[in-house]
Amino acid sequence: GIPDRNLSKYDPNYLSRIVNDRKKFCKICNIVKKGDEIEHCEDCDVCVEEYDHHCPWTGKCIGKRNKPFFVCFVGSIMVMIIYMMVASIVCWQTDISKLGTYWK
């Protein structure tokens, strides 16, 4: 679920009940975190549901809503690296065989 924003402005008693019910309150974002799976990212300065890590390559936090896209991103990079390695080996072997004909 999406955390409720600015609850302390509307009903201070509600906020104290939520915190006493062992739900977390983020003082930076000023929201009540519903559940234990929401964490605050210091790099992005936001709270993220099912926070995994902050990715420096994408500049975003990896969490519940974008984890499948991040896995596809990493998978596509791996496919590209394998393709480039195979293409380099094939190109290198083709160039080596052509060099032998030039020296005869």
Side-chain angles (χ1 to χ4, degrees):
I2 299 173
D4 297 331
R5 294 196 175 271
N6 300 323
L7 291 177
S8 61
K9 291 180 182 177
Y10 301 113
D11 186 8
N13 295 329
Y14 178 73
L15 181 62
S16 63
R17 281 183 301 189
I18 293 293
V19 173
N20 289 335
D21 288 339
R22 295 185 182 164
K23 305 248 178 163
K24 298 179 183 177
F25 177 73
C26 181
K27 294 178 182 177
I28 299 169
C29 295
N30 197 27
I31 62 170
V32 175
K33 300 178 191 180
K34 294 183 177 178
D36 294 332
E37 68 276 356
I38 299 175
E39 293 183 33
H40 185 82
C41 175
E42 294 178 4
D43 295 319
C44 292
D45 204 28
V46 295
C47 286
V48 180
E49 189 173 7
E50 293 183 19
Y51 178 76
D52 189 37
H53 68 285
H54 181 83
C55 179
W57 294 342
T58 61
K60 298 192 179 287
C61 295
I62 307 305
K64 180 180 180 180
R65 295 191 298 176
N66 63 354
K67 197 167 196 174
F69 300 108
F70 180 74
V71 170
C72 289
F73 171 69
V74 172
S76 65
I77 289 174
M78 290 179 64
V79 168
M80 183 190 69
I81 289 172
I82 292 169
Y83 174 76
M84 293 301 291
M85 287 174 54
V86 169
S88 297
I89 291 170
V90 168
C91 184
W92 180 67
Q93 294 216 351
T94 304
D95 288 342
I96 293 285
S97 63
K98 286 181 181 178
L99 282 177
T101 58
Y102 292 128
W103 295 106
K104 290 184 179 180

